[in-house]
Amino acid sequence: MKNTWKILAGCGCISMLAGAALLAVSFFAGRAMLRDDLAHYENTREGRTGKLAENYVDFSFDYPKSWTIETNDPDKINFVTAERTVEEKTYENFNVGYFRPAPADEANQQLYREALGTIESQYTQQLREFRKVSEGSTKVGKYTGHEALYTGYLEAEAQRIDVFIRAIFRPSPDPAKGVSILMIGTTLNPELKRPEDLGTKGELPVLLESFEFK
């Protein structure tokens, strides 16, 4: 079962093919008030090579200590992948990669179409009835960006499992760089019942609301 979720967790091919990797005001008053059940992640240049070094962005977020963090991406696509699993099955997944904004909005819209087109091509083959639920501008905390929300399902161990995918593109304070966030959630998590729950229910809101550029 774990291998099935490894397929769902990867967003690397999106950035290679589309030229941008699919990825707030903190509700904490400061780092000194970090809750005991949370850990803090800060992106670092250490060990970064290739596209991750070229497109490096300083950012941080908080996450529940029960989540796993992976920063060694052999494909040099994602800066970090955070995942919540229960009995080795994915409940929620959070990937942060790089995104290079264009000088004009029209060109950015083309980048979004290319990246999201890759998502649609990839997951149409992996999930049944895969479709886009919504797309448009978004705001999480103090940051604005562009997002798309998808849904589909698969059958495993004699049960239907709905899968929700949310992609967000955010420019950074450096206008030439940005990040992209790709979130994945499944109805194995009883808190997620519909696509709109992804990033608003469960534990992903902790990561989103604490995300900030340095």
Side-chain angles (χ1 to χ4, degrees):
M1 187 67 172
K2 183 64 174 176
N3 289 337
T4 301
W5 304 124
K6 285 298 183 183
I7 294 174
L8 293 176
C11 67
C13 62
I14 293 166
S15 58
M16 285 194 296
L17 295 176
L22 284 181
L23 118 56
V25 174
S26 174
F27 53 72
F28 305 107
R31 288 304 141 222
M33 297 180 63
L34 188 67
R35 283 172 15 197
D36 290 342
D37 61 331
L38 298 180
H40 183 64
Y41 173 81
E42 290 195 13
N43 201 27
T44 176
R45 289 184 180 275
E46 184 177 355
R48 302 300 189 190
T49 59
K51 291 294 185 180
L52 291 182
E54 179 183 344
N55 297 285
Y56 178 80
V57 177
D58 282 313
F59 63 84
S60 67
F61 59 84
D62 301 325
Y63 62 95
K65 291 180 179 178
S66 58
W67 286 49
T68 60
I69 291 285
E70 178 58 60
T71 59
N72 296 318
D73 183 353
D75 296 321
K76 304 294 187 294
I77 299 301
N78 294 317
F79 294 114
V80 61
T81 293
E83 187 169 56
R84 176 189 180 191
T85 61
V86 175
E87 297 179 350
E88 297 189 339
K89 299 174 183 178
T90 294
Y91 270 36
E92 297 169 277
N93 180 280
F94 183 84
N95 305 271
V96 183
Y98 58 85
F99 168 60
R100 293 189 66 88
D105 182 65
E106 182 177 349
N108 274 330
Q109 295 298 322
Q110 179 61 33
L111 289 177
Y112 302 150
R113 285 192 292 272
E114 292 174 357
L116 296 176
T118 303
I119 287 181
E120 293 158 10
S121 176
Q122 175 184 351
Y123 288 104
T124 295
Q125 301 177 41
Q126 297 175 1
L127 301 176
R128 298 184 181 183
E129 298 182 11
F130 183 73
R131 64 181 177 85
K132 184 188 297 181
V133 176
S134 61
E135 180 182 357
S137 60
T138 186
K139 185 169 185 178
V140 180
K142 64 183 178 181
Y143 300 111
T144 58
H146 187 89
E147 75 167 4
L149 179 64
Y150 296 90
T151 186
Y153 78 94
L154 54 79
E155 294 181 351
E157 298 181 357
Q159 67 174 313
R160 170 175 168 148
I161 301 169
D162 289 317
V163 180
F164 310 132
I165 297 173
R166 184 180 175 191
I168 301 176
F169 303 88
R170 291 178 178 165
S172 75
D174 179 346
K177 295 183 179 180
V179 299
S180 54
I181 295 174
L182 185 69
M183 294 177 286
I184 299 171
T186 74
T187 49
L188 289 169
N189 179 355
E191 298 166 282
L192 304 183
K193 302 182 184 304
R194 59 194 187 112
E196 292 80 6
D197 292 338
L198 184 62
T200 62
K201 296 183 179 180
E203 296 182 359
L204 270 170
V206 172
L207 287 74
L208 280 176
E209 293 170 8
S210 62
F211 184 97
E212 62 180 355
F213 293 111
K214 298 298 186 180

